[in-house]
Amino acid sequence: MSLECNGAGYAMRRWFARGLTLALVALAPSLVAQSSTPAGSLEKARVLAAANHLIEANEMLSAIVSGDSQNLAAWEELGRVQLAQSLNDDAMKSFETVLKAAPGSAEVRAGEVRAAIASALADRSAGNADRALATLMRAKGYVPDSVELLIAFGLQADSMQIYKDAEAALLEAHRLEPQNSKALYALAHVELDEQKTTEAEAHLRAYLKINPDDASAHYGLGHLLHMLSRDDEAKGELERSIALQPRQTESYYELGQIALDGHDDSAAKEAFTRVLTSAPNHGGALTGMGVLAYRAKDYATAESYLKEAVVYAPDYVTAHRYYAMTLARLGQHEQSAREMALAEQLSEEQNKLRHGYTLRPGP
Amino acid sequence: MHLPSPNLIRYRASYSDCLGGSRWLIAMLCPMLFLGPAKAQSLPAVPGKFVDTTASSGIHFVHKASHTSKKYLPETMGSGVALFDYDNDGRLDVFLVNGAPLSDPTVPGTIPQKAGPAYWNRLYHQKKDGTFEDVTEKAGLQGTNYDMGVAVGDYDNDGFEDLYVTGYGGNHLYHNDGNGKFTDVTKESGTGGTGWSTSAAWVDLDNDGLLDLVVLRYVKWDFDDLWCGEKRPGYRSYCHPDVFPAITPLVYHNEGNGHFTEASAKFGLDKPGKGLGIALADFDRDGRIDVAIANDSMVEFLYHQKPKGAFEEQGLMSQIAVDGDGRTYAGMGVDAQDYDNDGFPDLVITNLANQKYALYHNAGDGTFDYATHLSGVGSITMLHSGWGTKFFDYDNDGLKDLIVAQGHDIDNIELTYPQLRYKEPLLLMRNVGHGKFVDVSASSGEVFKQAWAGRGLAVGDLDNDGLEDLVVTTNDGPAYVIRNETRTANHWLTLDLVGHKSNRDAIGAEIKVTTSKGAQWWTVSTAGSYLSSSDKRAHFGLGADDHAKSLDIVWPSGVHQMLGEVKADQILRVDEPAQ
């Protein structure tokens, strides 16, 4: 009964709104001309937008700003409509028109940030990382103190190995909101990419104070501590991560790597096997199993693992290197030489990539 | 050299998966995103006692790097030191290498020349009282170019150690005339070379009884005005070696008449590299010397000598080319000795902060295990940058320890990496057995608290007291004479091998000393470390034993010599027998 009543009420409201909108739409071509003032036209456009008639609202607002490019209220409304239409680039232009004249407008700044992030996400999904970064950078020029925007920029830049600029943005986000856990996590990530391990550890620990039950962060800290050869501490963090999120692979994999480095082959095998049970195509664990078999001089088994590893982790140098060594042990020298050359080439390429890029202009 | 910005990941899942699409801002919570037979028993960490005696030593050497605003790469690479007894008086003397003035800017194509005593290389003669006197001018060893490295070897087997000095724009061979003077025989010997040479090693590659010469070159480089580092004032830095092409080493075959022939291709030692450090050992105990090369920011090389004398580069196959995660690193200094007394020479290669010095344990089957983690070296060296390094048994307990000269190559590194330092103290790692090392620097003397831009390092027993001393060079700074005054009742034995059929220095000889605790091995060489040349004498710590039960020497000629019980605490000359 109640459901029916609610349904009837909903239908009634829909009907009323639709009727009003239809009426307004019918009048749309002449609405602007007929309105006695720009304010009147703007109000009517708002009504259209509220009724989700975004195309018509857009047309009306565009007509207003084409007649009066200084009408900031219309630009602001147009930006909102464009944002709702997912016309993110247009929305940014509209918001930026307002921000040039009134840089402090909170709503417009928020609109600019939303539009920029949405636009960057679309570009990124389309594989255009450069444009995504450029969009975020442009928005940062208008809204330099948006933590959300700084984090988005930092993440995008980090993913493109533009470490220093990513770090600068994330440090600013952290300065603006010291307790923002997303900023802390992202900052730790870029610091790790930059090998600033001391800072990365500090920021990750700060993040974990805010989010003590984040299994991913415990894994990240465990990974970092293993890199620092603090394996006992690393194991503690990884085990904590597993306790929080038993259905995962990465902490088990990391434990396997610690055991592998420590030449505890049976523990390594157990951990890698566990990973492969739930993720049979895990390139790292396949490599780990291959390394263990190679160590045991079981080259046939090593080959079977490593052959798969180089398929599922084609950029993983260790997989190629051990595969090459295994092939050599099996007498397949030509293929071994090819794999070794590939390993060397990948190693060189990755070495160069690790230096990162910078966006900063010259003096 | 140079900081690699760093992918610290061994293996990671698809980064873009985690960062893509609408999950972008919650991607930080994506789980995959985050990067993804030693015989001795374990011993307590007995510190050493090392004392900086530079002030009273008579050695007042200051290296001139000639820094410019252009940050030319040679400015940060430092120079080497040699410990050798040039006048055969039984006391080690010291040779130090120096730079040359650079104009700012320097025109490409320039070969910088020394301009006065401030830039001279220096030879210091050790007097009977243990202090040193500067005999550079008398010896005629002032040098010519922007010099960097030094290698010691008696190439003509006349009983007097000769010197080879490397540098930018050409190298120099100085023949020791035996009267306190050296003659520059570069031209007639054909060993001048071109380009930028770094470490060099004297070694008899073909076992003809004459020392040949392997000279590493760093990169193809000139005085071009390249801006590296961030483009803002104060942030310009030295360029990463990735910017420059690799280059082949120079290998000079000793023809026996004072002339050498370049034979890198003939020996198969001609793979282009970015060589900074070289060490020698017979890694697979097949009776033929092998060569390890530390390359900067590319794969490291291990040249294995094949039965017919040619070499084959097997770094990747032997597993010393990269670190345990398959990554290259900035190989700088290198040394090879058997640290775990299992009979097979191991390797250490120093590198930059965040890379961890690479310790490779020789598995005895032609491969090495990356032992950095397991040995403790990884956690000790994570934030350090190392150059010259040597295995040496500072406390004579029978286990070879490790010493490293440290400091970053980028003089403004603190601006971008606040936790790193351009100047760092020396690092002393004590071998406590079972393949483990511990850092005993802090408790081994005030000298380990002094921050230097350490570069070259040589080891030798300066005062013949049975404790091995150090001389360390710093970039654009003083050289330091560091005496080992460790208090220990442990005994020692130093062997001064003299080859007759083999090269006179016995470089390449493998010595096995057996005590009640077991055996230990040493490869005779003046190479290893970085740009430097160490005492050729082989030093063994015998622990509590006052004698060695036996000595076994395999000379480069193949002659196998065995000696019975040998009293400890002496420097023993051993001549190569006829058979």
Side-chain angles (χ1 to χ4, degrees):
Chain A
M1 188 65 179
S2 170
L3 182 64
E4 286 176 10
C5 286
N6 286 341
Y10 173 73
M12 183 65 79
R13 285 197 299 277
R14 287 269 299 173
W15 177 83
F16 180 77
R18 182 172 172 76
L20 177 63
T21 305
L22 285 171
L24 286 166
V25 168
L27 296 170
S30 56
L31 268 176
V32 177
Q34 288 175 4
S35 297
S36 56
T37 62
S41 299
L42 179 58
E43 198 50 44
K44 285 169 186 165
R46 282 178 176 143
V47 172
L48 279 169
N52 208 30
H53 282 270
L54 301 174
I55 295 171
E56 294 80 3
N58 186 325
E59 284 175 0
M60 188 174 287
L61 291 162
S62 297
I64 295 170
V65 297
S66 69
D68 176 11
S69 64
Q70 302 302 309
N71 190 333
L72 299 183
W75 277 114
E76 181 177 341
E77 192 58 35
L78 179 58
R80 281 197 197 101
V81 169
Q82 288 164 330
L83 186 57
Q85 288 179 288
S86 295
L87 299 171
N88 301 311
D89 291 351
D90 291 343
M92 285 180 73
K93 285 175 196 158
S94 298
F95 290 132
E96 286 162 11
T97 303
V98 181
L99 289 170
K100 279 176 193 162
S105 171
E107 284 193 28
V108 180
R109 285 156 50 88
E112 171 75 357
V113 169
R114 283 182 57 206
I117 291 177
S119 176
L121 280 171
D123 286 333
R124 190 182 171 90
S125 296
N128 195 341
D130 289 342
R131 195 168 186 280
L133 189 73
T135 298
L136 294 167
M137 207 158 74
R138 187 176 110 205
K140 214 154 63 79
Y142 288 96
V143 193
D145 53 356
S146 162
V147 169
E148 188 183 8
L149 187 59
L150 287 164
I151 293 171
F153 175 84
L155 286 168
Q156 179 63 32
D158 186 34
S159 72
M160 297 168 70
Q161 284 102 33
I162 305 171
Y163 300 128
K164 286 186 170 44
D165 297 86
E167 185 195 6
L170 293 166
L171 276 171
E172 178 63 6
H174 178 52
R175 188 189 68 77
L176 291 165
E177 287 183 16
Q179 294 304 305
N180 185 311
S181 61
K182 288 178 181 173
L184 279 167
Y185 203 125
L187 185 54
H189 182 264
V190 73
E191 285 164 343
L192 202 51
D193 273 343
E194 290 189 286
Q195 293 194 341
K196 294 184 174 178
T197 49
T198 309
E199 291 88 340
E201 183 182 351
H203 288 129
L204 206 44
R205 289 193 186 280
Y207 173 86
L208 280 167
K209 271 192 179 173
I210 300 166
N211 301 289
D213 294 334
D214 185 328
S216 299
H218 284 287
Y219 159 73
L221 184 56
H223 178 82
L224 168 60
L225 292 167
H226 174 45
M227 281 165 35
L228 294 168
S229 296
R230 289 155 57 186
D231 287 345
D232 288 342
E233 290 175 76
K235 283 182 194 169
E237 292 297 331
L238 296 168
E239 282 158 7
R240 173 79 178 133
S241 176
I242 290 168
L244 288 163
Q245 177 55 271
R247 289 175 60 81
Q248 60 163 303
T249 55
E250 290 312 287
S251 290
Y252 287 113
Y253 170 62
E254 195 72 22
L255 286 168
Q257 286 296 123
I258 291 172
L260 192 68
D261 288 344
H263 289 247
D264 185 351
D265 289 4
S266 61
K269 187 174 184 179
E270 187 183 332
F272 292 140
T273 303
R274 189 154 198 161
V275 173
L276 291 172
T277 302
S278 53
N281 300 339
H282 193 288
L286 287 166
T287 304
M289 292 297 277
V291 172
L292 289 168
Y294 183 88
R295 276 186 190 171
K297 303 190 191 303
D298 180 358
Y299 302 121
T301 303
E303 188 201 14
S304 68
Y305 280 116
L306 292 163
K307 192 175 183 176
E308 281 192 81
V310 297
V311 170
Y312 294 115
D315 296 334
Y316 189 31
V317 175
T318 302
H320 288 283
R321 189 162 56 88
Y322 270 93
Y323 189 32
M325 294 191 298
T326 302
L327 291 168
R329 299 284 176 190
L330 292 170
Q332 299 174 39
H333 296 294
E334 274 186 29
Q335 199 184 343
S336 168
R338 279 199 300 274
E339 275 300 320
M340 201 57 95
L342 182 57
E344 196 164 347
Q345 181 193 333
L346 283 169
S347 189
E348 294 292 316
E349 286 172 4
Q350 290 172 15
N351 194 36
K352 284 176 185 166
L353 276 178
R354 283 174 207 133
H355 305 320
Y357 306 96
T358 180
L359 293 172
R360 293 206 178 88
Chain B
M1 196 207 66
H2 227 288
L3 193 74
S5 188
N7 181 342
L8 295 169
I9 318 167
R10 296 159 181 276
Y11 162 80
R12 71 173 158 184
S14 171
Y15 199 49
S16 55
D17 283 352
C18 290
L19 286 170
S22 59
R23 290 173 291 155
W24 190 6
L25 285 179
I26 58 168
M28 292 171 291
L29 303 179
C30 174
M32 308 294 266
L33 175 64
F34 214 102
L35 304 186
K39 305 290 193 298
Q41 297 173 340
S42 284
L43 300 167
V46 179
K49 184 182 178 190
F50 287 82
V51 179
D52 177 6
T53 62
T54 311
S56 60
S57 69
I59 292 179
H60 304 294
F61 174 87
V62 178
H63 174 249
K64 302 281 279 186
S66 302
H67 287 298
T68 68
S69 65
K70 303 297 180 190
K71 301 248 173 172
Y72 295 123
L73 200 45
E75 296 170 24
T76 196
M77 303 304 288
S79 64
V81 52
L83 299 186
F84 72 123
D85 180 8
Y86 80 91
D87 58 348
N88 292 336
D89 63 359
R91 293 181 292 274
L92 289 177
D93 309 301
V94 178
F95 180 76
L96 290 155
V97 187
N98 211 341
L102 302 178
S103 50
D104 192 1
T106 301
V107 177
T110 299
I111 306 292
Q113 301 293 300
K114 293 187 189 302
Y119 298 94
W120 285 356
N121 305 326
R122 296 280 176 177
L123 177 64
Y124 294 94
H125 171 251
Q126 187 177 173
K127 298 186 288 187
K128 285 181 180 171
D129 65 0
T131 64
F132 293 84
E133 58 184 339
D134 187 336
V135 295
T136 307
E137 281 189 273
K138 183 183 169 193
L141 286 173
Q142 296 94 324
T144 307
N145 297 347
Y146 195 109
D147 294 324
M148 301 193 77
V150 57
V152 174
D154 180 5
Y155 73 85
D156 56 353
N157 293 329
D158 66 354
F160 291 95
E161 300 294 338
D162 308 300
L163 279 183
Y164 189 72
V165 178
T166 68
Y168 180 78
N171 311 314
H172 290 269
L173 178 59
Y174 297 98
H175 177 258
N176 185 340
D177 299 334
N179 57 0
K181 293 180 181 173
F182 288 75
T183 302
D184 185 340
V185 295
T186 309
K187 196 172 177 185
E188 50 267 48
S189 65
T191 55
T194 56
W196 178 357
S197 300
T198 54
S199 292
W202 289 102
V203 54
D204 185 359
L205 295 170
D206 55 353
N207 270 336
D208 62 358
L210 295 167
L211 288 175
D212 309 300
L213 184 57
V214 181
V215 185
L216 301 186
R217 291 192 287 184
Y218 185 28
V219 286
K220 290 179 183 169
W221 188 90
D222 201 349
F223 287 96
D224 295 312
D225 187 3
L226 298 177
W227 183 299
C228 293
E230 291 183 48
K231 284 208 167 182
R232 49 177 168 153
Y235 280 73
R236 187 171 188 170
S237 74
Y238 297 104
C239 289
H240 194 281
D242 282 357
V243 175
F244 310 106
I247 187 168
T248 56
L250 299 165
V251 178
Y252 295 107
H253 178 252
N254 189 340
E255 305 293 346
N257 53 3
H259 187 73
F260 292 74
T261 304
E262 207 289 316
S264 54
K266 180 185 162 195
F267 280 111
L269 291 161
D270 58 347
K271 194 170 173 182
K274 298 182 180 180
L276 289 179
I278 183 166
L280 313 170
D282 177 6
F283 291 104
D284 57 349
R285 295 288 188 224
D286 63 357
R288 293 179 291 274
I289 198 79
D290 307 307
V291 178
I293 292 174
N295 284 315
D296 189 353
S297 302
M298 58 174 284
V299 289
E300 314 302 319
F301 290 164
L302 192 148
Y303 281 104
H304 174 250
Q305 189 174 177
K306 296 183 289 188
K308 290 187 177 175
F311 289 79
E312 183 177 33
E313 203 286 298
Q314 294 190 334
L316 279 162
M317 205 58 79
S318 64
Q319 307 186 82
I320 68 103
V322 289
D323 69 11
D325 298 334
R327 293 182 307 240
T328 56
Y329 52 80
M332 300 194 288
V334 60
D335 198 30
Q337 292 293 353
D338 175 16
Y339 72 82
D340 63 342
N341 296 336
D342 65 355
F344 290 94
D346 310 298
L347 264 179
V348 63
I349 301 179
T350 55
N351 50 32
L352 282 180
N354 290 321
Q355 296 180 332
K356 305 170 199 168
Y357 303 163
L359 184 68
Y360 298 99
H361 173 254
N362 191 335
D365 61 356
T367 67
F368 291 75
D369 294 321
Y370 181 72
T372 293
H373 297 291
L374 203 57
S375 63
V377 169
S379 56
I380 295 170
T381 64
M382 181 71 189
L383 295 177
H384 297 303
S385 302
W387 300 75
T389 185
K390 290 297 285 182
F391 286 108
F392 79 129
D393 183 359
Y394 76 84
D395 56 352
N396 290 330
D397 65 352
L399 293 168
K400 296 173 191 73
D401 313 297
L402 267 172
I403 182 79
V404 188
Q406 302 191 121
H408 209 280
D409 65 308
I410 297 177
D411 54 359
N412 54 7
I413 189 66
E414 289 93 338
L415 292 176
T416 43
Y417 292 86
Q419 80 276 29
L420 304 185
R421 295 288 176 270
Y422 174 60
K423 294 186 176 184
E424 290 189 57
L426 285 169
L427 174 65
L428 179 63
M429 288 180 276
R430 183 166 191 268
N431 184 341
V432 295
H434 299 297
K436 305 278 187 189
F437 289 82
V438 296
D439 183 353
V440 293
S441 310
S443 53
S444 293
E446 289 298 308
V447 70
F448 289 99
K449 294 173 184 165
Q450 297 178 36
W452 303 332
R455 295 291 187 269
L457 178 149
V459 172
D461 186 355
L462 290 171
D463 48 3
N464 294 329
D465 65 348
L467 293 169
E468 294 208 278
D469 309 297
L470 312 169
V471 177
V472 178
T473 69
T474 62
N475 192 50
D476 206 42
Y480 293 92
V481 180
I482 301 159
R483 300 274 185 177
N484 181 353
E485 297 179 1
T486 301
R487 288 179 188 168
T488 173
N490 288 334
H491 296 280
W492 54 276
L493 178 63
T494 297
L495 301 174
D496 187 7
L497 269 54
V498 179
H500 295 289
K501 185 179 179 189
S502 303
N503 68 86
R504 199 171 194 285
D505 284 330
I507 287 172
E510 301 284 352
I511 306 171
K512 176 184 175 186
V513 168
T514 305
T515 68
S516 64
K517 294 280 170 53
Q520 49 183 304
W521 284 260
W522 187 267
T523 304
V524 176
S525 172
T526 60
S529 190
Y530 170 73
L531 301 178
S532 300
S533 190
S534 290
D535 187 356
K536 68 169 186 172
R537 298 175 298 181
H539 180 90
F540 293 88
L542 303 185
D545 290 14
D546 61 5
H547 67 279
K549 289 164 76 172
S550 64
L551 303 183
D552 291 84
I553 302 169
V554 179
W555 294 80
S557 61
V559 170
H560 186 187
Q561 182 177 17
M562 295 186 71
L563 300 175
E565 195 169 289
V566 177
K567 192 170 145 295
D569 305 325
Q570 63 166 326
I571 299 170
L572 179 67
R573 172 175 162 145
V574 182
D575 281 84
E576 183 181 19
Q579 296 295 327

